[in-house]
């Protein structure tokens, strides 16, 4: 975790890029992120991989994944990083 970050917690959100609808994962709501010092911000503590169940089977769509930080003193949560991904649909 960066040295200038206070104590707090991280969470991941994921949504379809153009419509803003949340992606269906069965994991993100319970995913625990453990902060680590020295160069890496977070390590997935509860799952190394998981399936996203959104989108039409075989069709591609854009998604945005964001890492949010909430200070332990109950300050306001903020997005500290985001990444766009090209996803392939799973639902039939």
């Amino acid at each position: 975790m960066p040295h200038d970050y206070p104590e707090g917690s991280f969470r991941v959100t994921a949504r379809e890029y153009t419509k803003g609808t949340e992606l269906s994962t069965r994991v993100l709501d319970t995913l625990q992120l453990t902060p680590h010092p020295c160069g890496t911000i977070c390590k997935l503590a509860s799952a190394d991989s998981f399936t996203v169940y959104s989108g039409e089977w075989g069709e591609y769509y854009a998604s945005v994944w964001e890492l949010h930080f909430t200070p332990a003193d109950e300050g306001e949560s903020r997005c500290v990083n985001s990444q766009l991904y090209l996803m392939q649909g799973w639902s039939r």
Side-chain angles (χ1 to χ4, degrees):
M1 186 160 95
H3 298 290
D4 60 344
Y5 270 61
E7 292 293 317
S9 62
F10 291 90
R11 68 181 174 85
V12 175
T13 62
R15 65 184 189 282
E16 196 276 338
Y17 182 72
T18 60
K19 297 176 185 173
T21 55
E22 289 186 34
L23 299 185
S24 173
T25 65
R26 295 188 192 168
V27 175
L28 287 183
D29 292 341
T30 59
L31 187 64
Q32 296 181 21
L33 299 173
T34 306
H36 290 276
C38 303
T40 59
I41 292 179
C42 292
K43 176 181 178 183
L44 298 179
S46 64
D48 291 332
S49 64
F50 54 89
T51 303
V52 175
Y53 296 94
S54 298
E56 297 295 322
W57 182 259
E59 297 293 321
Y60 289 91
Y61 64 95
S63 65
V64 61
W65 293 68
E66 296 179 337
L67 179 65
H68 294 263
F69 175 74
T70 303
D73 66 3
E74 300 182 13
E76 189 172 327
S77 178
R78 68 183 189 271
C79 178
V80 294
N81 199 357
S82 66
Q83 178 69 45
L84 292 173
Y85 289 95
L86 179 62
M87 309 285 287
Q88 185 176 22
W90 178 261
S91 301
R92 289 185 190 235

